Structures are given as structure tokens and as C-alpha cells.
Amino acid sequence: VAVRAVAWLLLWEAAGFTCSPATTFNNTHFVAGKGATCSEIILRQEVLKDGFHRDLLTKVKFGESIEDLQTCRLLIKQYIPTGLFVDPYELASLRERNITEAVMVSENFNIEAPNYLSKESEVLIYARQDSQCIDCFQAFLPVHYRYHRPHIKDGETFIVVHNPDLLMYCDQEFPVLKCWAQSKVTAPCALNSKDICQWNNMKYKSVYKNLTLQVPVGLTIHTSLVCSVTLLISILCSTWILVAVFKYGHFSL
């Protein structure tokens, strides 16, 4: 029995399957430490509400404990496609009520233009820490559908919202930032600040490749009917207003 046991040990050692307990612990600790340090940032975007007026909700979850990143701020640079628009006056009202911290970047922005006459715009959203998740941030942005050209057959079209840029600025450097940071981007340090900071453009993993929205559009075969009914209603309403003015109005020379 002793001879067989020694023979098996020699065979296992020759095959390279044996290792000391200390070596096993060190290797496991190294792999676990590397996984914890370079864990992924998960980003999830979803659209709330129905109809032409929606809310774009962005959630960011860090694989690391956020306790070491309390001095960091998170900024989302969202690209708005031509099929959507963000109302800057609505954003100003929401900022006054402390509902969101978002500001338009694009200038000469027309909220009434249809999608085929508009351009892509940009919005900066300063994310807030989620009260229900210690290592999570979230950002809220109201978006609205633009009018699209009528189609010949299909009564719907699709809008693709590409993933945003995720920017982070920390008052002090952390080793974990080396796993996430890709490049430097200049942006205001805070919403109401004129100071410019060098933000880290972070790499992350998105739950969805891109967000796709479905928009109903009119049909070209209904053009004559819609124009006729609209013109008829306009004439009737105008006539009714004129009759009321001449009947109940008071004129003085």
C-alpha cells in the first residue's frame, strides 16, 4: 500500500497537478482581487410613460463599493436623435423644482421643427446617487417625439437612441479609475458652475445595445381627407367666432 501511494504521488507531481496550500491561496486572492478592481460598470436606459411625451431614465451601477468614490461626480452626455427633442424651458422649470439637473448643450434649437428639418442635439445630465442602492446613480430626462413625414404603407417608424457618454470626475485619484477611464473630456464641474473640469470618459457595459422607440406616423393616402376636414373645421370655427363678435361685441367709433 505504501509503495502504491508513493507511486501515485510521483505520478501526480510529474503531471503538474500538485501545489502547496499557500500557492493556491495566493493565486485565488490575486484573481479575486483583479476581478473586484476591474469590475464592470453597468448602464441601463429605459423609457417611461406612453404617447408622444416620455421620460428617459438612466441607471448606472458600479461593480465596486461606492464608499471609496464619495468624492466623485457622475455626468451623462446624452445624444438626442432628430426624431426626439428636449424642451429647454421644461428643463429650466425642472431645475427650479430640483427634479433633475440637466442642461442643453446645443444652440439654435427649434422644438417645433419636424424630424427631417432638425439636427441631433446634446444634453448634459448630472446624475444623482440612488437612495435605494449604495453603488448606483440615476438620471432623469423628459423627451418628446417630433412629427415625421407620412409613409406610403407602414404607419409607424422607429427612433434609435444611442448609448450616452459616461463621464466621472473625482477630487482625488483612485486605482480603480484606471480600469474604467478611457480619455479626458472637458465639461462644467457642476450645473451652476462656470469652472471647467477634466472628466474621465468611462467605459461601461450597457444592458441594451441601443434604445429603440416606436413612433406612429400618418399615411399619404389620408392626405386629401385630412386636409379637407381640417379646412372645413377651420372655416366653421372662424365663421362661428365672427358671428359671435358681431352679435355680442360692442363697437365704438
Side-chain angles (χ1 to χ4, degrees), residues 7-247:
W8 276 109
L9 288 175
L10 291 175
L11 288 174
W12 275 73
E13 185 175 3
F17 291 123
T18 59
C19 60
S20 62
T23 304
T24 305
F25 174 79
N26 292 334
N27 290 339
T28 305
H29 179 73
F30 174 77
V31 174
K34 182 179 178 181
T37 302
C38 296
S39 59
E40 293 179 322
I41 302 175
I42 306 299
L43 184 140
R44 177 188 178 95
Q45 284 192 316
E46 56 183 325
V47 177
L48 309 179
K49 296 183 180 179
D50 298 322
F52 272 59
H53 309 282
R54 304 291 187 95
D55 291 334
L56 179 62
L57 182 62
T58 304
K59 295 184 178 181
V60 180
K61 179 176 177 56
F62 289 84
E64 283 289 315
S65 175
I66 203 65
E67 295 177 357
D68 296 335
L69 304 175
Q70 290 296 329
T71 60
C72 298
R73 283 161 279 176
L74 199 64
L75 178 61
I76 297 173
K77 188 177 183 180
Q78 183 69 55
Y79 299 93
I80 307 299
T82 57
L84 297 175
F85 74 90
V86 176
D87 190 347
Y89 303 103
E90 182 182 13
L91 289 185
S93 176
L94 294 176
R95 289 195 300 267
E96 291 179 357
R97 291 181 286 167
N98 198 28
I99 297 178
T100 186
E101 298 182 28
V103 61
M104 292 287 301
V105 177
S106 305
E107 298 180 354
N108 301 323
F109 187 71
N110 187 359
I111 63 176
E112 298 180 356
N115 78 304
Y116 50 86
L117 295 178
S118 61
K119 299 179 180 180
E120 185 181 78
S121 58
E122 298 178 4
V123 180
L124 293 179
I125 317 169
Y126 292 85
R128 299 176 176 179
Q129 189 169 354
D130 192 346
S131 59
Q132 299 179 352
C133 178
I134 190 173
D135 56 349
C136 301
F137 284 81
Q138 64 178 6
F140 162 79
L141 181 69
V143 294
H144 310 275
Y145 290 168
R146 290 186 182 274
Y147 290 107
H148 293 68
R149 289 186 186 273
H151 289 187
I152 298 176
K153 294 182 179 180
D154 194 5
E156 61 184 15
T157 188
F158 297 93
I159 301 173
V160 178
V161 181
H162 295 286
N163 290 325
D165 291 341
L166 189 63
L167 310 178
M168 176 176 282
Y169 177 80
C170 299
D171 295 333
Q172 58 183 358
E173 291 293 333
F174 295 98
V176 70
L177 293 179
K178 297 180 180 179
C179 295
W180 296 331
Q182 299 182 110
S183 60
K184 295 288 185 179
V185 178
T186 58
C189 299
L191 180 63
N192 298 320
S193 175
K194 296 182 180 180
D195 298 333
I196 301 298
C197 294
Q198 293 290 330
W199 295 74
N200 292 304
N201 189 0
M202 314 297 284
K203 58 183 177 181
Y204 60 86
K205 181 179 179 181
S206 178
V207 175
Y208 305 110
K209 184 177 181 181
N210 288 308
L211 197 61
T212 303
L213 307 177
Q214 183 177 347
V215 184
V217 296
L219 299 177
T220 54
I221 59 175
H222 298 155
T223 302
S224 300
L225 176 62
V226 172
C227 291
S228 301
V229 173
T230 302
L231 179 61
L232 178 61
I233 293 177
S234 300
I235 293 174
L236 291 177
C237 292
S238 301
T239 303
W240 188 16
I241 293 174
L242 289 175
V243 171
V245 168
F246 282 105
K247 184 176 182 179

